[in-house]
């Protein structure tokens, strides 16, 4: 990895602090580096403004002169009511160099931000960064496909069940796995369960980790009917194209809801929490329309595996090129 790629990866890690409070704007990170040292950092502030570059440049002041700015997403070329375009701010900042990890598909910027910085006489380049792209995955999904990125979480027994036959499912996994789920909720804009889970468990779906309560996502229920107060109704998985401002959707089951999202081909990531118990109960999934086993192979790539107390977490990413 080159130094530039390493700085971009560090900037992508910093951007995680903005998620999900930056919505509806993307969670962006920016780092100013001079003589091999970080002199200022910034990430998108709650509500989407100020942007990461503006925060870092403000923190650096005159020290920005001659520095290199690393930023996960191309600086915006469009003005908002709340300040100048970031490309203009960067152009006037005195930085010597700008390295961008991911170009912005927003048609108001889409290359115009980079061009404007170059027009200001600054050496600016796009260095494609998988870390930056991953840190912006929900935003890029909305821009490219007009719907949020979907993560499906399932808490399973060893025999692949999500509940006893009588419906009891609290709790299949232990406290470490449940705390991890809460941390995942804190990164989502919206969380969804099926109508059956809402009726059976009446779940709070909030984030119960110290200091993170304000990061509790919007609550959605997949239902043909109406949503109770405090919830929004999603009439079908395909309707996620209408979830305005939602970049990251966390689906927590139950079995019918999970099956419906898989059948619609809308699951981008699987979080499988597996507890070392056998329950002989309700299976996690029903028939989601797979006609041949060959169509199942190559679909999911494991990106992470870790132990959480006595449970195991496996994370799988959907492969974009695999057969359905
Ligand atoms: N272990 C885990 O990770 C986990 C997580 C969540 C839940 N659970 C357990 O799972 C059980 C509930 O699972 P479940 O399969 O019975 O129910 P579910 O998936 O939670 O909900 C089923 C309901 O979702 C709605 N729905 C499903 N497909 C739909 C579609 N294509 N379009 C619109 N609405 C659709 C319908 O709601 P309406 O009837 O309202 O129209 C349907 O009755 C409970 O025992 C719960 O405790 C376990």
């Amino acid at each position: 990895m080159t130094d530039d790629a390493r700085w971009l990866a560090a900037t992508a890690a910093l951007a995680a602090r903005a998620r999900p409070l930056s919505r509806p704007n993307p969670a962006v990170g920016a780092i100013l580096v001079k003589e091999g040292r970080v002199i200022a950092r910034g990430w998108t502030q709650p509500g989407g403004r100020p942007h990461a570059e503006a925060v870092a440049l403000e923190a650096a002041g005159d020290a920005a002169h001659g520095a290199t700015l690393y930023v996960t997403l191309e600086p915006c070329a469009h003005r908002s009511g709340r300040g100048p375009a970031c490309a203009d701010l960067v152009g006037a900042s005195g930085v010597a160099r700008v390295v961008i990890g991911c170009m912005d598909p927003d048609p108001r910027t889409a290359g115009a931000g980079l061009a404007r910085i170059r027009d200001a006489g600054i050496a600016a380049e796009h260095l494609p960064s998988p870390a930056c792209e991953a840190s912006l995955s929900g935003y890029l999904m909305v821009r490219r496909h007009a719907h949020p990125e979907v993560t499906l979480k399932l808490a399973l027994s060893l025999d692949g069940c999500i509940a006893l036959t009588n419906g009891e499912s609290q709790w299949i996994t232990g406290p470490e796995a449940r705390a991890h789920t809460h941390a995942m909720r804190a990164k989502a804009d919206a969380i969804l369960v099926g109508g059956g889970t809402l009726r059976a468990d009446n779940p709070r779906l909030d984030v119960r980790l110290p200091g993170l309560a304000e990061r509790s996502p919007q609550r959605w229920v997949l239902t043909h009917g109406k949503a109770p107060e405090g919830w929004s109704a999603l009439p079908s998985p395909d309707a996620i194209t209408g979830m305005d401002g939602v970049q990251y959707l966390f689906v927590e089951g139950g079995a019918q809801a999970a099956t419906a999202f898989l059948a619609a081909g809308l699951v981008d990531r699987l979080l499988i929490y597996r507890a070392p118990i056998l329950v002989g109960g309700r299976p996690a999934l029903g028939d989601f329309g797979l006609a041949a086993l060959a169509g199942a192979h190559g679909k999911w790539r494991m990106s992470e595996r870790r132990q959480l107390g006595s449970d195991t977490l496996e994370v799988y990413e959907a492969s974009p090129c695999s057969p359905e």
Side-chain angles (χ1 to χ4, degrees):
M1 217 191 230
T2 64
D3 283 352
D4 281 341
R6 261 190 224 105
W7 284 121
L8 282 174
T11 313
L14 186 68
R17 299 188 184 199
R19 190 175 147 193
L21 300 182
S22 66
R23 65 173 169 258
N25 287 351
V28 176
I31 289 180
L32 281 161
V33 175
K34 210 171 178 177
E35 294 163 6
R37 286 181 47 241
V38 174
I39 59 164
R41 305 175 305 164
W43 54 90
T44 319
Q45 295 300 292
R49 294 259 173 182
H51 286 180
E53 310 88 313
V55 174
L57 290 171
E58 168 82 21
D62 290 343
H65 284 260
T68 296
L69 171 67
Y70 293 92
V71 62
T72 56
L73 183 67
E74 180 185 10
C76 64
H78 53 277
R79 287 179 60 88
S80 84
R82 292 157 69 186
C86 288
D88 295 330
L89 268 183
V90 172
S93 67
V95 300
R97 188 171 168 244
V98 176
V99 183
I100 297 166
C102 186
M103 296 300 279
D104 191 348
D106 183 337
R108 297 170 299 175
T109 292
L114 175 59
R116 202 175 302 172
I117 294 168
R118 284 180 175 155
D119 287 348
I122 296 170
E125 63 186 290
H126 170 216
L127 187 68
S129 159
C132 292
E133 179 115 356
S135 76
L136 290 158
S137 57
Y139 170 71
L140 296 173
M141 185 68 77
V142 171
R143 283 281 168 208
R144 292 170 181 161
H145 302 290
H147 62 70
E149 181 186 87
V150 177
T151 296
L152 171 63
K153 167 243 159 181
L154 293 169
L156 305 180
S157 59
L158 283 181
D159 51 339
C161 295
I162 59 163
L164 301 187
T165 46
N166 67 9
E168 182 189 347
S169 68
Q170 295 173 342
W171 304 103
I172 284 186
T173 49
E176 293 88 349
R178 295 206 298 279
H180 188 275
T181 299
H182 282 256
M184 293 298 100
R185 286 178 181 173
K187 291 182 176 182
D189 299 305
I191 187 164
L192 177 140
V193 293
T197 298
L198 180 60
R199 288 187 287 272
D201 301 341
N202 192 20
R204 284 164 52 186
L205 300 186
D206 53 358
V207 178
R208 273 160 268 162
L209 294 175
L212 293 181
E214 86 280 8
R215 292 182 187 238
S216 294
Q218 302 168 13
R219 298 188 299 177
W220 287 73
V221 56
L222 181 68
T223 178
H224 302 96
K226 290 191 172 155
E229 198 180 333
W231 293 71
S232 302
L234 193 75
S236 79
D238 291 338
I240 59 169
T241 52
M243 295 176 99
D244 280 349
V246 175
Q247 296 171 16
Y248 299 94
L249 173 63
F250 195 60
V251 176
E252 286 210 29
Q256 280 189 45
T259 303
F261 270 83
L262 285 165
L266 286 169
V267 179
D268 302 298
R269 182 174 301 110
L270 288 171
L271 292 191
I272 307 285
Y273 298 89
R274 207 182 304 274
I277 58 172
L278 295 168
V279 302
R282 296 188 184 181
L285 295 174
D287 179 1
F288 52 89
L290 190 68
L293 268 181
H297 289 288
K299 171 74 184 167
W300 300 99
R301 179 184 59 80
M302 189 191 282
S303 59
E304 187 182 342
R305 186 174 195 279
R306 70 160 92 167
Q307 200 66 26
L308 296 167
S310 57
D311 303 324
T312 308
L313 167 67
E314 290 170 3
V315 183
Y316 294 87
E317 314 291 332
S319 158
C321 310
S322 65
E324 282 297 326

